[in-house]
Amino acid sequence: MVTAARHPHPGETILGTGYHEHAGGKGLNQAVAAARSGATVAFVGALGTDAAGGRLREILGGDSIDASDVTEVDGPTGRAVIVVADDGENSIVVVPGANATVGVAGTLPDSAVVLCQLEIPLDTVASALEIAHERGSIIVLNPAPAASLPVRVLRLCDVITPNEHELELLGGVSALLDAGCGAVVVTRGGDGVDVHSAAGTTSFAAHSVVVVDTTGAGDAFSGSLACRLAAGDALLDAVAWANAAGALATTVAGAVPAQPRSAEIRAVLRSQHDR
């Protein structure tokens, strides 16, 4: 992660103000978010044989995440290069590395909720969702990085969680609902969250926080949302919890370090209720 006063324009070189390395990756961030919200979590993925792979495996263990379905492949672990501007906004380039080899091959753990992202091959995502659907799991898809998704994938999604930019690339709310998504939950940063379904639209205002770094905020939302759905919460109750988690994640630099714990989330919700 590089910090700078602003994002460079194409072809422009600017001086940064800092450089840091943090553990991350959408799958890892969301797994940690779910675990810290109180869920029992199993992770399916792949790590390289480099030092980063060993470090990430240790992090999974540190948050009591079942890593028995994490494979090791020759080559580098996935990487992301992130530029964070002084206003907290970020831009990210992801190099998949070992993530490009992830498969499920019938080993997907049985669970109440299956949460997928798009930093792994789309065929793998489709297979995982089909297995989850057959088992009756709740399916949550975080469509990031945004990609063209076939109807056979969209119709399996009980909940899809794009941000505003991803939503535009996916064709909008109506297109996703028409394709068969049960609910479209749009995260809008400082403008809050909108929940769209056949029942209508419900909006949640953003929590007022001091933003340090928005990296990992969407992952905090998706992971904590999955946790609460697994616990049996109704969708709107789960979104309220996830909205608070996402806000808290912006107050800490980095991705994994920023994922909040359940006590912190409850405190935010309690504070909101007491106003």
Side-chain angles (χ1 to χ4, degrees):
M1 182 176 75
V2 176
T3 54
R6 60 176 177 82
H7 293 274
H9 301 299
E12 180 186 22
T13 298
I14 64 174
L15 292 177
T17 56
Y19 173 81
H20 308 276
E21 289 191 358
H22 300 289
K26 292 187 182 297
L28 177 65
N29 298 340
Q30 293 174 27
V32 170
R36 292 182 183 176
S37 273
T40 300
V41 180
F43 186 86
V44 178
L47 296 171
T49 52
D50 52 7
R55 180 184 174 206
L56 294 178
R57 193 177 287 276
E58 289 176 0
I59 289 169
L60 289 167
D63 276 284
S64 300
I65 295 167
D66 181 353
S68 58
D69 288 301
V70 175
T71 58
E72 184 175 89
V73 299
D74 289 336
T77 297
R79 296 279 184 165
V81 178
I82 306 168
V83 178
V84 181
D86 283 351
D87 63 2
E89 287 298 327
N90 63 55
S91 59
I92 305 173
V93 176
V94 173
V95 181
N99 289 325
T101 71
V102 176
V104 288
T107 63
L108 190 72
D110 197 3
S111 58
V113 174
V114 170
L115 170 61
C116 286
Q117 314 76 29
L118 300 181
E119 288 182 348
I120 60 176
L122 183 55
D123 285 347
T124 299
V125 172
S127 295
L129 299 193
E130 287 165 356
I131 294 169
H133 178 72
E134 290 172 1
R135 292 174 175 173
S137 301
I138 297 171
I139 294 171
V140 181
L141 175 63
N142 178 229
S148 178
L149 296 173
V151 172
R152 73 184 182 99
V153 168
L154 294 173
R155 67 177 177 80
L156 296 173
C157 298
D158 295 297
V159 183
I160 190 168
T161 62
N163 63 25
E164 293 176 286
H165 307 295
E166 292 153 359
L167 178 65
E168 182 178 354
L169 291 169
L170 291 168
V173 170
S174 294
L176 293 174
L177 292 176
D178 290 345
C181 293
V184 181
V185 180
V186 184
T187 56
R188 301 189 299 116
D191 293 324
V193 181
D194 293 334
V195 181
H196 305 272
S197 69
T201 299
T202 302
S203 296
F204 293 78
H207 293 274
S208 179
V209 296
V210 177
V211 175
V212 173
D213 177 12
T214 58
T215 306
D219 296 331
F221 183 94
S222 292
S224 60
L225 176 74
C227 168
R228 294 314 309 169
L229 291 174
D233 284 6
L235 177 59
L236 295 183
D237 292 333
V239 169
W241 176 277
N243 190 32
L248 283 168
T250 69
T251 66
V252 178
V256 166
Q259 302 308 312
R261 299 188 182 277
S262 57
E264 299 172 280
I265 300 169
R266 287 195 182 93
V268 168
L269 293 173
R270 192 178 305 117
S271 173
Q272 181 188 41
H273 182 266
D274 291 343
R275 289 197 190 102

